[in-house]
Amino acid sequence: MIINKLNSRRIPFIVFSLYCLVSLSSATLLWKYSYQQLTHSSQKQLELFSRHLEGKLERFAYIPQLLSRQSLMVNALQTPNNTALREIINRHLDTTNQIIGASDTYLLNIQGTTIASSNWLLERSFVGKNFSFRPYFQEAMNGKKGDYFALGSTSSKRGYYYSFPVKYAGEVIGVVVVKMDVSSIEKDWIGKPQHFLVTDPNGVVFISTQETWLFQSLSVLSEAIQDEIKQEWRYLGKHIEVLPFDGKFDQSSSLIRFSLDGKFPRYYLALTKKYVKAGWNIRIFVPTKSITYSIVILLILLTLLFILLYLILILFAQRQMRNDEKERLQAKAKQQLEFQVMQRTSALHAEINERHKTELALKNIQKELIQAAKLAVLGQLSASISHELNNPLAAIRSYADNALIFLERSKIAKVSSNLIRITLLTDRMATISAQLKAFARKSDGVMTVIALQPVLLASFELVKPQLKASKVKLVLKLPSNNILVKAEPIQLEQIFVNILSNAIQAMHDSDIKNIDVTLSTSQYQALVEVCDTGPGIAESDIGQLFEPFFTTKETGLGLGLSISQQIINSMNGHLWAKNKENFGAIFSISLPLQQNQELK
Ligand code: ADP
């Protein structure tokens, strides 16, 4: 989207440039089109006005000629002193004047003096007035048809004069004149927005629907022309002022400016048509303000449109800016979050490493502790074991001594029998030593699936010398099928030896010294129960039995049960103790059963 790319700072510049471009081009186009339309319609108006003017002028063009043919005119000129005839001709001219609708109709003698006139009874009567200075008189006296425009010397009204010579026997004896009131031409065209005007060959306005422009020129007249006009008396010797127009009037179509001092200039479309017969120019001046108004309206509409466009663009740009800002903030927040996560992760890694190290150290310490506890048990076992080893050692000595004596007496069969006994005894000693060695070695801590029976038997073997020395009777009740658990066998052996050893010690002062070891199973658990016939556990001690360093023995460490419980917990099992109903204690170990697994 283009707006996406728009920078809000550039929007005013872009919109303004676009506005200027569109306004300029559309205003130019509208101006050209409207100007063309105005020219076209004005051309028609000019044509109509021109025809109207020609029609008006032509209307009287031949009247003087007709009148000159009347014998009454000739008679009146021939007998100027005949008052009766003069009255008749005055009345005749008056009637004719009324019929044709002219301003004045009158008859001049060859001196240019009016001898009869349609206005003979009026105050401004031409009768007796001399018009020999008028060109139309001179033209007629030369035998030609004359026509002329001028301000009336008597009425000061604009008139158009038509003249024709009155001849008798080929001689000009007088002139008949019809004067037309020029203002009648303008009458029907006044009040329209456009102005119609007619200028003489010098550019002096003598017909105009704008009265204030009359008898002024469109362009500056030279002094010579001013003098000429004064001499002709056409405008009664007036000095011709110039109208404040600016433009090219010699073209058939042009744009002209009219500027009065202190006022806004007005512009007109000026169209000109030549009236060749009289050397006049018929003109129409059409105000161009209608075009100006439409351009102003167009510009106002365009301005509003572009303001709207500007507001929409600003709105879009602001929304875009907000979105960008939001995205930027989101990206920043994400970055910060990622950084924090990274920091936290590395801290966690460091923490994990530290914990691993600590755990490792803890495991090592635990191993050491287990080993220490084991060695403590071994210490407890050592007296009975050394006793157990001393007996065969003494027996071996006695068999060896006897064998020497039998050898001296050559009783070979008996020597052989003694040696066989010695071998058996050393085998027994080796077994005890191997068991001790196996028990004493450090556990690797690796758990495997094992059968519980061999572990219990090995433990039994280890405490056997102690049982014998303490005269304790131990009964093992083991099921025939392998009971499988996941455990570390040496650690498990250590636990059993510890529990059995505790039971033997507890029964030191007991009359009945029995230990029952039972292995059984429930649905998911294997259960080993060690019951003794000792004094049991004091109620006050039962809560702290498994706490480290709890002991009731003078030389005890108090670590055996707490380590045993930790080991069993690590195998997902439980170790707990309770008293039997009458006397003695029961130590129970439960471990999850392992089904259908191959023994390793
Ligand atoms: P230690 O044998 O060094 O004292 P243990 O943790 O093995 O440490 O045993 C803690 C205590 O538990 C013993 O001191 C003893 O008081 C008690 N105890 C252990 N087994 C029995 C038992 N079978 N009968 C009575 N008390 C027992």
Side-chain angles (χ1 to χ4, degrees):
M1 209 172 155
I2 302 167
I3 294 167
N4 283 356
K5 310 285 174 206
L6 272 186
N7 185 331
S8 61
R9 276 191 213 156
R10 286 170 60 200
I11 288 176
F13 173 73
I14 292 170
V15 173
F16 184 71
S17 308
L18 205 67
Y19 168 72
C20 291
L21 197 77
V22 172
S23 301
L24 202 72
S25 50
S26 53
T28 311
L29 276 175
L30 182 64
W31 170 266
K32 276 186 183 167
Y33 175 76
S34 305
Y35 192 82
Q36 220 171 16
Q37 291 292 313
L38 196 68
T39 308
H40 188 67
S41 63
S42 303
Q43 200 73 49
K44 281 184 183 167
Q45 293 282 324
L46 180 65
E47 202 56 48
L48 277 174
F49 180 72
S50 163
R51 269 192 229 141
H52 167 74
L53 178 80
E54 282 175 35
K56 281 270 185 188
L57 293 176
E58 291 295 308
R59 199 168 145 196
F60 301 104
Y62 297 99
I63 304 286
Q65 193 173 356
L66 278 173
L67 288 173
S68 72
R69 298 269 172 94
Q70 291 177 351
S71 55
L72 199 59
M73 303 294 157
V74 177
N75 291 342
L77 287 166
Q78 281 178 335
T79 55
N81 298 323
N82 187 341
T83 47
L85 185 60
R86 206 180 296 162
E87 192 173 325
I88 289 168
I89 196 148
N90 274 331
R91 287 184 193 282
H92 176 67
L93 288 175
D94 189 17
T95 313
T96 309
N97 193 62
Q98 280 179 33
I99 291 168
I100 63 173
S103 171
D104 302 292
T105 306
Y106 49 101
L107 185 64
L108 308 174
N109 62 17
I110 51 170
Q111 285 79 35
T113 305
T114 311
I115 59 160
S117 174
S118 57
N119 56 17
W120 63 295
L121 283 175
L122 302 176
E123 209 177 306
R124 59 173 184 87
S125 169
F126 289 175
V127 178
K129 299 256 167 74
N130 191 285
F131 297 111
S132 59
F133 62 93
R134 293 292 196 195
Y136 63 80
F137 171 75
Q138 288 151 18
E139 284 279 301
M141 285 305 290
N142 287 334
K144 291 181 203 160
K145 191 177 150 201
D147 54 1
Y148 184 69
F149 165 79
L151 276 176
S153 56
T154 314
S155 64
S156 296
K157 279 185 182 173
R158 284 168 295 154
Y160 197 81
Y161 302 85
Y162 300 93
S163 64
F164 205 82
V166 181
K167 290 182 182 172
Y168 182 74
E171 284 287 316
V172 177
I173 58 166
V175 174
V176 66
V177 184
V178 172
K179 181 187 173 188
M180 188 190 105
D181 184 4
V182 167
S183 62
S184 69
I185 296 173
E186 301 156 346
K187 212 169 57 194
D188 301 334
W189 301 80
I190 291 171
K192 296 193 176 185
Q194 61 275 48
H195 306 302
F196 296 93
L197 51 146
V198 181
T199 51
D200 71 9
N202 293 319
V204 180
V205 180
F206 65 90
I207 295 174
S208 170
T209 51
Q210 185 73 17
E211 206 185 336
T212 51
W213 294 354
L214 281 171
F215 315 121
Q216 296 175 73
S217 64
L218 294 178
S219 48
V220 181
L221 298 179
S222 65
E223 278 305 311
I225 291 174
Q226 287 278 10
D227 288 346
E228 201 180 295
I229 292 169
K230 275 179 194 162
Q231 273 175 10
E232 269 186 10
W233 205 249
R234 191 196 289 261
Y235 302 112
L236 306 177
K238 271 188 185 178
H239 183 80
I240 305 298
E241 300 292 337
V242 66
L243 284 165
F245 277 114
D246 191 11
K248 292 176 179 166
F249 295 99
D250 50 350
Q251 289 178 357
S252 62
S253 166
S254 65
L255 187 70
I256 57 165
R257 196 170 97 129
F258 181 83
S259 47
L260 277 175
D261 285 345
K263 286 195 176 173
F264 274 116
R266 280 179 280 167
Y267 288 87
Y268 294 93
L269 162 68
L271 300 181
T272 305
K273 191 179 178 215
K274 290 205 178 306
Y275 185 49
V276 184
K277 223 185 268 179
W280 299 346
N281 281 309
I282 307 167
R283 301 176 192 269
I284 181 170
F285 285 6
V286 192
T288 55
K289 61 183 175 191
S290 62
I291 302 179
T292 315
Y293 288 158
S294 17
I295 287 172
V296 168
I297 288 169
L298 175 81
L299 289 178
I300 289 170
L301 285 175
L302 280 175
T303 309
L304 291 175
L305 198 77
F306 273 86
I307 288 173
L308 194 73
L309 179 74
Y310 170 74
L311 290 176
I312 290 170
L313 286 178
I314 285 288
L315 202 76
F316 270 114
Q318 277 178 352
R319 191 173 291 178
Q320 188 58 37
M321 257 169 60
R322 273 204 301 272
N323 285 347
D324 287 351
E325 183 64 15
K326 211 163 112 183
E327 275 171 24
R328 197 183 64 76
L329 287 175
Q330 277 174 352
K332 199 177 161 189
K334 197 178 154 197
Q335 213 177 22
Q336 275 178 348
L337 197 74
E338 279 172 358
F339 182 67
Q340 278 175 354
V341 167
M342 242 165 65
Q343 268 185 330
R344 189 81 194 104
T345 311
S346 71
L348 270 174
H349 276 141
E351 209 176 301
I352 287 168
N353 281 342
E354 198 56 37
R355 189 170 282 203
H356 275 150
K357 276 184 197 166
T358 313
E359 275 175 7
L360 208 67
L362 198 71
K363 269 188 184 163
N364 284 335
I365 289 168
Q366 272 180 340
K367 274 184 189 172
E368 292 303 325
L369 260 177
I370 291 168
Q371 191 62 14
K374 195 177 354 185
L375 292 177
V377 173
L378 264 180
Q380 286 168 4
L381 295 178
S382 62
S384 53
I385 288 170
S386 76
H387 178 74
E388 192 67 8
L389 287 175
N390 278 340
N391 280 350
L393 208 60
I396 286 169
R397 179 65 196 260
S398 144
Y399 284 129
D401 288 345
N402 288 341
L404 280 174
I405 296 166
F406 288 137
L407 196 64
E408 281 169 9
R409 292 178 190 167
S410 299
K411 289 179 180 176
I412 298 303
K414 286 203 173 177
V415 171
S416 172
S417 156
N418 274 18
L419 285 176
I420 288 167
R421 280 182 184 155
I422 288 171
T423 310
L424 287 172
L425 284 169
T426 51
D427 278 352
R428 180 167 151 62
M429 286 174 75
T431 308
I432 292 170
S433 159
Q435 279 173 342
L436 276 174
K437 198 179 163 193
F439 184 70
R441 94 179 136 83
K442 259 190 181 173
S443 154
D444 56 6
V446 180
M447 295 205 293
T448 49
V449 176
I450 49 159
L452 272 174
Q453 285 95 330
V455 182
L456 282 168
L457 285 169
S459 312
F460 171 63
E461 283 302 323
L462 275 170
V463 293
K464 222 175 185 177
Q466 214 183 344
L467 289 168
K468 202 171 159 189
S470 306
K471 298 190 175 83
V472 175
K473 189 182 159 199
L474 188 142
V475 179
L476 264 176
K477 291 175 189 165
L478 304 177
S480 54
N481 60 320
N482 277 330
I483 306 298
L484 304 180
V485 291
K486 194 169 185 185
E488 207 289 304
I490 296 173
Q491 286 182 351
L492 210 54
E493 199 177 303
Q494 180 183 342
I495 293 162
F496 290 140
V497 168
N498 194 64
I499 290 171
L500 289 172
S501 191
N502 276 347
I504 295 166
Q505 286 175 16
M507 291 186 293
H508 187 264
D509 300 324
S510 301
D511 297 332
I512 306 166
K513 297 179 180 182
N514 289 335
I515 297 176
D516 286 334
V517 179
T518 318
L519 174 60
S520 62
T521 55
S522 63
Q523 195 178 0
Y524 301 110
Q525 302 285 323
L527 182 69
V528 179
E529 284 179 309
V530 180
C531 305
D532 62 53
T533 51
I537 307 146
E539 279 302 313
S540 54
D541 299 341
I542 210 151
Q544 44 192 341
L545 213 60
F546 294 95
E547 280 178 13
F549 307 110
F550 174 77
T551 181
T552 55
K553 299 169 196 168
E554 271 180 25
T555 53
L557 279 176
L559 286 174
L561 285 180
S562 79
I563 288 173
S564 296
Q565 193 175 50
Q566 277 180 40
I567 294 170
I568 290 294
N569 286 348
S570 73
M571 293 172 185
N572 295 321
H574 295 286
L575 166 61
W576 68 98
K578 62 182 181 185
N579 284 323
K580 278 206 298 187
E581 267 181 32
N582 297 328
F583 53 87
I586 307 176
F587 282 80
S588 308
I589 293 168
S590 73
L591 286 166
L593 268 180
Q594 298 291 313
Q595 303 285 359
N596 305 322
Q597 293 242 16
E598 265 183 47
L599 281 179
K600 290 198 176 166

